[in-house]
Amino acid sequence: MGVHLISARDVYAYFTEGTLLIDMREKDAFEKWHLPGAVCVPYEEDYEHWRAALPEFCAAILYCDRGNNSLYAARRMGEAGNTVYAVAGGVEALRKV
């Protein structure tokens, strides 16, 4: 359990059955581009909304534009006992892979 920072190259190595892939950008950005299999849970939502998106004992990979907001959210979720991976560099890094 806890928070792990992963590279954009490693996202699909960690994206296994039962792991949620969460895009924390606004819905309009999500609709323009997102990783296949991702769900949109905007960072601007409150903490309880993030927790509701993540079932108990489920692992998740979070990303945002540059990685800062998703890392913050990952830390909060990790404190609650979930295993959470934050993508270093966010979408900017993911688009370069």
Side-chain angles (χ1 to χ4, degrees):
M1 290 188 233
V3 178
H4 309 277
L5 192 62
I6 61 173
S7 73
R9 291 189 193 287
D10 292 336
V11 167
Y12 283 105
Y14 288 90
F15 186 46
T16 60
E17 185 174 334
T19 302
L20 292 177
L21 184 56
I22 301 175
D23 186 322
M24 301 204 77
R25 298 172 303 143
E26 293 298 318
K27 290 183 181 185
D28 60 333
F30 176 81
E31 290 171 1
K32 290 178 185 172
W33 184 91
H34 61 271
L35 290 174
V39 296
C40 183
V41 180
Y43 176 80
E44 299 302 323
E45 302 288 341
D46 62 26
Y47 174 70
E48 291 306 318
H49 186 81
W50 302 340
R51 287 284 301 137
L54 187 59
E56 192 173 3
F57 306 115
C58 179
I61 300 169
L62 279 57
Y63 68 92
C64 61
D65 285 319
R66 289 178 217 80
N68 297 328
N69 291 340
S70 57
L71 181 58
Y72 173 76
R75 286 182 179 147
R76 293 285 310 270
M77 290 179 182
E79 289 169 0
N82 293 97
T83 299
V84 187
Y85 303 93
V87 179
V91 169
E92 286 185 10
L94 289 166
R95 287 187 174 180
K96 294 176 184 175
V97 176

